[in-house]
Amino acid sequence: MTTVVTPPALEILVREPDGFSLWNGPPFTNDQPSVKLERAPCKSAGFSEDGSKLMVMKSESVISIYDCSSYKEIRSFEVPNVLAAILSPCGTYLQTFQKSTTPQEKNVVLWIIETGDSVYQLFQKNMTKTTWPSIRFSSDEAVACRLATNQIHFFDAGDLSRGIINRLRIPGVAALELSKTTGSHVAAFVPESKGVPASVQIFACAKDLQSQPLARRSFFRCSSVQLSWNNGSTGLLVVVQSDVDKTNQSYYGESKLNYLTTDGTHEGLVPLRKEGPVHDVQWSYSGSEFAVVYGFMPAKATVFDKKCNPLLELGTGPYNTIRWNPKGKFLCLAGFGNLPGDMAFWDYLEKKQLGATKAEWSVTSEWSPDGRYFMTATTAPRLQVDNGIKIFHPNGSLYYKKMFDKLYQLFLQADWKPESPDRFGEIAELVKSVGSMKIEESKPQGQAKKSSQAAAKPTTAIPPAQKPAAYRPPHAKSAAAVQAQLFGGSPSEQMSKNALKNKKKRDKQREKKAAEDASAANDA
């Protein structure tokens, strides 16, 4: 008899100014999410990569760890003057960064969550994107390493109390990226120096195999890089960014996409078919394909295989973001940031577009772990108005929308609880679920999809807030009247006293001039 494994329920972490709460994810009962964990005060919160643990920073000195199977607090850490904290991918360790006054004070501490003991300490002067977290783990926590001056330090991931067990010397190394499952390789970036071009090198994590890099690629005019490993640790995508575009075609510099493999079979540029910057790139969950958005607007999107052969052209449009469904079936192309928020949903296996819609002013976006829902969020401090969450079906129809009316000093966070896509249904089930949906592209953006099962008045577990009005500066209050005067039409707002007074003065001057012109014509 075949045992039926029930997939885990989806969950959404929402953080507002007064704390965080946990919602039960879609599908919602009565079209509204229910609260799984009541709101609690915090400064920051985040899941481990595998979704087994939840870290909540309650104050500048208290960090609590929750077991996500029961959401009971399993450990609390007292860490004075803590500035940042992060969980290891499997939730085994907690890493904290504290304010430091002297180099003798070791301000980065690695804690074992199960026992609460400190297992390793070190000093770090400051915290940047390339130096935090200080100790990096592969997704399976099989490898742990740290970036140091001209070196990469490796640790025994099973017993970090042993300290550094291996040093890989790479002169000038400025950034590293460990491969994902399996954690077998590390990529190192060395910037330009004294006429020597920048380079990205791939090394094996095993000490016996580190005598020579497995792959290497050099770049001229390189200021920074973005490194992206595939699942399986066989391929590395490198977006090379230069601050200056010598062709003067872009104010933001120029970028190129390079591809390297751990077996050395490919080291070169990805053949993109349009000039312009590389906006976004993402691997599929299988690690066999990657999708790229590139080129001057309207940007172009293409899916490539592991040999850099184009598999599917996704057309052009105002896009700078691509998100691949965790099950590998659906793709979302979007234009966020300074673009108007257009989104196009594609079925990669059927090679057809399913629908299109808009999600204006979105800051974050991600597929749910089961691949059935796509969530966008408008968050502060990036944007102080129109903060909210929207959830879409894979065909672009809006499933749920909630706006938040606390606009100032707000830091809204909305994240799916991580789960392995392997724990959910196969692609065939997704095809069936998408086929039963009704695409509603003409529906206004602000309306949620009306379900046939929700004919009765729904009960609101979390009442939706009204959409806040946008802030208008004082100098713009009479803008409608000025536009009406310049371009015709009636002003949408009542004019201010000063504007009305000036308008009457101008009208009298026009009447006076018209009378003088008429008198002069009669005299002639």
Side-chain angles (χ1 to χ4, degrees), residues 128-143:
T128 64
K129 187 176 181 181
T130 56
T131 60
W132 180 255
S134 300
I135 298 177
R136 308 287 182 96
F137 291 88
S138 59
S139 297
D140 54 3
E141 291 189 6
V143 178

Side-chain angles (χ1 to χ4, degrees), residues 21-47:
S21 58
L22 199 70
W23 297 357
N24 285 308
F28 299 140
T29 304
N30 297 326
D31 293 336
Q32 291 293 331
S34 59
V35 177
K36 185 179 183 71
L37 192 64
E38 292 294 339
R39 185 175 301 166
C42 76
K43 291 186 62 179
S44 66
F47 291 102

Side-chain angles (χ1 to χ4, degrees), residues 165-277:
I165 61 173
N166 180 31
R167 288 177 171 87
L168 174 61
R169 181 167 175 78
I170 308 174
V173 61
L176 65 84
E177 187 71 24
L178 266 175
S179 62
K180 299 183 179 180
T181 307
T182 57
S184 54
H185 299 83
V186 61
F189 167 63
V190 179
E192 293 182 69
S193 177
K194 299 178 181 179
V196 179
S199 66
V200 168
Q201 305 171 58
I202 297 178
F203 291 88
C205 290
K207 181 179 180 180
D208 300 337
L209 303 175
Q210 290 181 347
S211 59
Q212 293 292 329
L214 301 176
R216 178 190 175 101
R217 178 75 174 168
S218 298
F219 321 101
F220 286 99
R221 300 197 309 272
C222 173
S223 304
S224 61
V225 296
Q226 298 175 26
L227 305 174
S228 177
W229 284 99
N230 68 339
N231 286 329
S233 305
T234 59
L236 175 72
L237 290 170
V238 183
V239 180
V240 178
Q241 181 71 39
S242 174
D243 293 336
V244 179
D245 182 5
K246 290 196 172 183
T247 64
N248 293 323
Q249 291 182 292
S250 174
Y251 173 80
Y252 301 100
E254 61 178 339
S255 56
K256 301 290 183 182
L257 181 61
N258 293 261
Y259 177 55
L260 292 82
T261 58
T262 54
D263 59 7
T265 57
H266 195 289
E267 297 175 11
L269 287 169
V270 176
L272 304 180
R273 299 182 178 182
K274 187 174 185 180
E275 291 187 357

Side-chain angles (χ1 to χ4, degrees), residues 381-516:
R382 177 73 177 272
L383 287 175
Q384 298 289 350
V385 296
D386 293 329
N387 286 181
I389 297 171
K390 296 176 183 176
I391 299 177
F392 298 87
H393 287 297
N395 61 358
S397 59
L398 184 64
Y399 176 75
Y400 175 75
K401 175 180 177 180
K402 177 175 173 60
M403 305 301 294
F404 292 82
D405 55 359
K406 295 183 180 181
L407 302 177
Y408 304 102
Q409 297 180 353
L410 168 68
F411 199 106
L412 171 67
Q413 174 186 353
D415 297 317
W416 296 104
K417 175 179 174 290
E419 294 285 357
S420 171
D422 298 330
R423 301 183 63 186
F424 295 94
E426 295 302 322
I427 290 177
E429 299 179 27
L430 289 174
V431 174
K432 184 178 179 181
S433 65
V434 172
S436 63
M437 298 175 190
K438 181 181 179 181
I439 299 179
E440 301 179 2
E441 296 181 22
S442 61
K443 178 177 285 189
Q445 182 69 23
Q447 294 182 359
K449 181 187 174 193
K450 294 183 179 179
S451 172
S452 59
Q453 300 176 351
K457 185 177 181 180
T459 58
T460 57
I462 300 177
Q466 292 184 351
K467 180 178 179 180
Y471 169 73
R472 298 193 70 185
H475 68 269
K477 290 182 179 179
S478 59
V482 174
Q483 289 180 0
Q485 181 180 345
L486 293 175
F487 305 111
S490 58
S492 57
E493 294 183 355
Q494 185 178 0
M495 292 172 23
S496 65
K497 291 182 179 180
N498 288 335
L500 188 60
K501 182 179 178 180
N502 292 334
K503 183 177 181 299
K504 289 180 179 180
K505 187 183 294 186
R506 289 191 295 269
D507 291 343
K508 288 182 180 180
Q509 290 176 349
R510 280 195 296 267
E511 292 175 1
K512 182 178 179 180
K513 185 177 180 181
E516 291 176 352

Side-chain angles (χ1 to χ4, degrees), residues 345-397:
F345 291 87
W346 282 77
D347 186 325
Y348 170 64
L349 299 183
E350 298 294 332
K351 294 180 171 48
K352 65 179 181 180
Q353 185 173 335
L354 298 174
T357 185
K358 271 194 174 186
E360 298 91 343
W361 311 301
S362 297
V363 176
T364 63
S365 60
E366 197 54 71
W367 286 96
S368 60
D370 67 349
R372 298 171 186 261
Y373 304 95
F374 188 77
M375 179 170 67
T376 65
T378 304
T379 61
R382 177 73 177 272
L383 287 175
Q384 298 289 350
V385 296
D386 293 329
N387 286 181
I389 297 171
K390 296 176 183 176
I391 299 177
F392 298 87
H393 287 297
N395 61 358
S397 59

